[in-house]
Amino acid sequence: MNKGAQAEAKKLGNVKVVFTGSPAAFSPATQTPFLNGAIARKPNAILIAPTDKTALISPIQRAISAGIPVATVDTFISKPIAFTNISTDNLAGGRAAADALVKAIGGSGDVAAISVNPGISTTDQRAQGFAQELKKYPNVHYLGIQYCNDDQTKASNQTSALLAAHSNLKGIFAMNVVSGNGVTQAVKAAGKAGKVKLVEFDAARLRYRPSRQGRSTRSSPSTRTGSGRRASSRRISM
Amino acid sequence: MTGHKAGIAKHYGTGSAVVTRANVNNPAYKKYLYTP
């Protein structure tokens, strides 16, 4: 998103985008101090991807109360106080992920999902759409969702445990890049690349490189750079 | 809120696509890849 916003700001010429945020963790505890810092600098507007749909309501309200318009980008909060939200249709994305995964596994077998944390608007909607769509497939058994706290090692360990416990596990939906990295790592380590299918949201180019193990991957990503471009264009309209 | 908010919708969709190995090199799909 930062790349897209910077590119659009450069094109517009009269907008300066200052990017700030924690690279360490995607959580309200790490994000809120950065938001408070941004409010203190009194910008003309704030674009934010809230790390939690409830916990970020008050911090965002503080910005608005200080006279700073706030747009949410990618994720959103459950109270409609932002003047606009720019995001993909994550419910539809979750449904598309289910359809793609069922097709990849041949229409029957166990499937599981790995997400970040409950409370994040985007991944919650992806999970909802995925679970809803799977109900259309009577020969597919959904083992449910596990949360990796945006930790690749934890996602890998969770996947290893799933593979050990469910011999009929044929597919996994990874709901973001980090969980997808963990799933890939565990599936390869178990020697099941190509046998256990992965659908990942927000997939990177790396996912599509030919693999000696013959791993098959699919993805239904949102467009984060696109979100940034749109947000920057909206901002100049204020 | 300062400035002009006329014409700004409450929500903008960014679109999405299912990207596979078969279509990943197609520019219409490649643009959706996540670039950290």
Side-chain angles (χ1 to χ4, degrees), chain A residues 63-80:
Chain A
I64 294 168
S65 299
I68 304 166
V70 175
T72 50
V73 187
D74 187 32
T75 50
F76 58 88
I77 49 177
S78 54
K79 192 174 177 184

mmCIF file of all heavy atoms in Angstrom, chain A residues 63-80:
data_model
loop_
_atom_site.group_PDB
_atom_site.id
_atom_site.type_symbol
_atom_site.label_atom_id
_atom_site.label_comp_id
_atom_site.label_asym_id
_atom_site.label_seq_id
_atom_site.Cartn_x
_atom_site.Cartn_y
_atom_site.Cartn_z
ATOM 1 N N ALA A 63 -8.146 10.582 16.392
ATOM 2 C CA ALA A 63 -7.661 11.324 15.219
ATOM 3 C C ALA A 63 -8.770 12.188 14.645
ATOM 4 O O ALA A 63 -8.568 13.379 14.340
ATOM 5 C CB ALA A 63 -7.137 10.349 14.165
ATOM 6 N N ILE A 64 -9.944 11.606 14.513
ATOM 7 C CA ILE A 64 -11.076 12.339 13.932
ATOM 8 C C ILE A 64 -11.462 13.511 14.840
ATOM 9 O O ILE A 64 -11.732 14.625 14.368
ATOM 10 C CB ILE A 64 -12.265 11.378 13.690
ATOM 11 C CG1 ILE A 64 -11.882 10.351 12.613
ATOM 12 C CG2 ILE A 64 -13.519 12.138 13.292
ATOM 13 C CD1 ILE A 64 -12.839 9.193 12.478
ATOM 14 N N SER A 65 -11.469 13.257 16.132
ATOM 15 C CA SER A 65 -11.789 14.326 17.088
ATOM 16 C C SER A 65 -10.759 15.457 17.033
ATOM 17 O O SER A 65 -11.064 16.608 17.362
ATOM 18 C CB SER A 65 -11.857 13.764 18.512
ATOM 19 O OG SER A 65 -12.872 12.780 18.594
ATOM 20 N N ALA A 66 -9.542 15.117 16.617
ATOM 21 C CA ALA A 66 -8.497 16.142 16.480
ATOM 22 C C ALA A 66 -8.593 16.867 15.147
ATOM 23 O O ALA A 66 -7.750 17.694 14.823
ATOM 24 C CB ALA A 66 -7.122 15.492 16.627
ATOM 25 N N GLY A 67 -9.629 16.527 14.369
ATOM 26 C CA GLY A 67 -9.846 17.223 13.098
ATOM 27 C C GLY A 67 -9.123 16.601 11.909
ATOM 28 O O GLY A 67 -9.018 17.215 10.846
ATOM 29 N N ILE A 68 -8.625 15.377 12.096
ATOM 30 C CA ILE A 68 -7.893 14.717 11.007
ATOM 31 C C ILE A 68 -8.803 13.655 10.376
ATOM 32 O O ILE A 68 -9.190 12.698 11.042
ATOM 33 C CB ILE A 68 -6.608 14.041 11.540
ATOM 34 C CG1 ILE A 68 -5.730 15.054 12.278
ATOM 35 C CG2 ILE A 68 -5.842 13.376 10.395
ATOM 36 C CD1 ILE A 68 -4.634 14.422 13.117
ATOM 37 N N PRO A 69 -9.168 13.824 9.109
ATOM 38 C CA PRO A 69 -9.985 12.801 8.459
ATOM 39 C C PRO A 69 -9.207 11.490 8.307
ATOM 40 O O PRO A 69 -8.011 11.518 8.017
ATOM 41 C CB PRO A 69 -10.317 13.396 7.091
ATOM 42 C CG PRO A 69 -9.474 14.599 6.934
ATOM 43 C CD PRO A 69 -8.849 14.951 8.230
ATOM 44 N N VAL A 70 -9.899 10.391 8.527
ATOM 45 C CA VAL A 70 -9.245 9.075 8.478
ATOM 46 C C VAL A 70 -9.911 8.194 7.435
ATOM 47 O O VAL A 70 -11.142 8.052 7.416
ATOM 48 C CB VAL A 70 -9.301 8.380 9.862
ATOM 49 C CG1 VAL A 70 -8.735 6.966 9.777
ATOM 50 C CG2 VAL A 70 -8.544 9.194 10.900
ATOM 51 N N ALA A 71 -9.092 7.605 6.581
ATOM 52 C CA ALA A 71 -9.565 6.590 5.627
ATOM 53 C C ALA A 71 -8.964 5.257 6.034
ATOM 54 O O ALA A 71 -7.781 5.181 6.359
ATOM 55 C CB ALA A 71 -9.124 6.952 4.211
ATOM 56 N N THR A 72 -9.776 4.217 6.056
ATOM 57 C CA THR A 72 -9.236 2.885 6.329
ATOM 58 C C THR A 72 -8.961 2.196 4.991
ATOM 59 O O THR A 72 -9.737 2.312 4.044
ATOM 60 C CB THR A 72 -10.211 2.047 7.177
ATOM 61 O OG1 THR A 72 -11.516 2.082 6.595
ATOM 62 C CG2 THR A 72 -10.290 2.590 8.588
ATOM 63 N N VAL A 73 -7.846 1.489 4.960
ATOM 64 C CA VAL A 73 -7.387 0.870 3.725
ATOM 65 C C VAL A 73 -7.052 -0.587 3.988
ATOM 66 O O VAL A 73 -6.378 -0.900 4.959
ATOM 67 C CB VAL A 73 -6.126 1.597 3.192
ATOM 68 C CG1 VAL A 73 -5.746 1.078 1.827
ATOM 69 C CG2 VAL A 73 -6.350 3.095 3.147
ATOM 70 N N ASP A 74 -7.531 -1.457 3.145
ATOM 71 C CA ASP A 74 -7.359 -2.907 3.255
ATOM 72 C C ASP A 74 -8.261 -3.465 4.351
ATOM 73 O O ASP A 74 -9.217 -4.159 4.080
ATOM 74 C CB ASP A 74 -5.890 -3.288 3.486
ATOM 75 C CG ASP A 74 -5.681 -4.794 3.440
ATOM 76 O OD1 ASP A 74 -6.420 -5.457 2.684
ATOM 77 O OD2 ASP A 74 -4.803 -5.309 4.142
ATOM 78 N N THR A 75 -7.961 -3.169 5.609
ATOM 79 C CA THR A 75 -8.836 -3.595 6.704
ATOM 80 C C THR A 75 -9.738 -2.433 7.104
ATOM 81 O O THR A 75 -9.586 -1.318 6.618
ATOM 82 C CB THR A 75 -7.997 -4.029 7.922
ATOM 83 O OG1 THR A 75 -7.048 -3.001 8.186
ATOM 84 C CG2 THR A 75 -7.259 -5.320 7.647
ATOM 85 N N PHE A 76 -10.657 -2.688 8.014
ATOM 86 C CA PHE A 76 -11.565 -1.617 8.454
ATOM 87 C C PHE A 76 -11.951 -1.841 9.908
ATOM 88 O O PHE A 76 -11.592 -2.857 10.510
ATOM 89 C CB PHE A 76 -12.823 -1.563 7.569
ATOM 90 C CG PHE A 76 -13.611 -2.848 7.533
ATOM 91 C CD1 PHE A 76 -14.594 -3.117 8.469
ATOM 92 C CD2 PHE A 76 -13.362 -3.808 6.549
ATOM 93 C CE1 PHE A 76 -15.327 -4.295 8.438
ATOM 94 C CE2 PHE A 76 -14.090 -4.990 6.511
ATOM 95 C CZ PHE A 76 -15.065 -5.226 7.453
ATOM 96 N N ILE A 77 -12.671 -0.879 10.484
ATOM 97 C CA ILE A 77 -13.173 -1.022 11.850
ATOM 98 C C ILE A 77 -14.691 -1.178 11.796
ATOM 99 O O ILE A 77 -15.333 -0.807 10.813
ATOM 100 C CB ILE A 77 -12.772 0.178 12.742
ATOM 101 C CG1 ILE A 77 -13.094 1.509 12.042
ATOM 102 C CG2 ILE A 77 -11.308 0.097 13.119
ATOM 103 C CD1 ILE A 77 -12.787 2.730 12.892
ATOM 104 N N SER A 78 -15.240 -1.745 12.877
ATOM 105 C CA SER A 78 -16.664 -2.084 12.850
ATOM 106 C C SER A 78 -17.575 -0.873 13.047
ATOM 107 O O SER A 78 -18.774 -0.956 12.810
ATOM 108 C CB SER A 78 -16.969 -3.154 13.900
ATOM 109 O OG SER A 78 -16.511 -2.745 15.156
ATOM 110 N N LYS A 79 -17.025 0.257 13.476
ATOM 111 C CA LYS A 79 -17.827 1.482 13.616
ATOM 112 C C LYS A 79 -17.530 2.384 12.410
ATOM 113 O O LYS A 79 -16.358 2.683 12.136
ATOM 114 C CB LYS A 79 -17.461 2.200 14.920
ATOM 115 C CG LYS A 79 -18.412 3.304 15.312
ATOM 116 C CD LYS A 79 -18.036 3.855 16.687
ATOM 117 C CE LYS A 79 -18.930 5.013 17.078
ATOM 118 N NZ LYS A 79 -18.520 5.621 18.369
ATOM 119 N N PRO A 80 -18.578 2.826 11.695
ATOM 120 C CA PRO A 80 -18.345 3.534 10.419
ATOM 121 C C PRO A 80 -17.954 5.001 10.606
ATOM 122 O O PRO A 80 -18.654 5.909 10.183
ATOM 123 C CB PRO A 80 -19.699 3.405 9.714
ATOM 124 C CG PRO A 80 -20.689 3.345 10.823
ATOM 125 C CD PRO A 80 -20.001 2.640 11.976
#
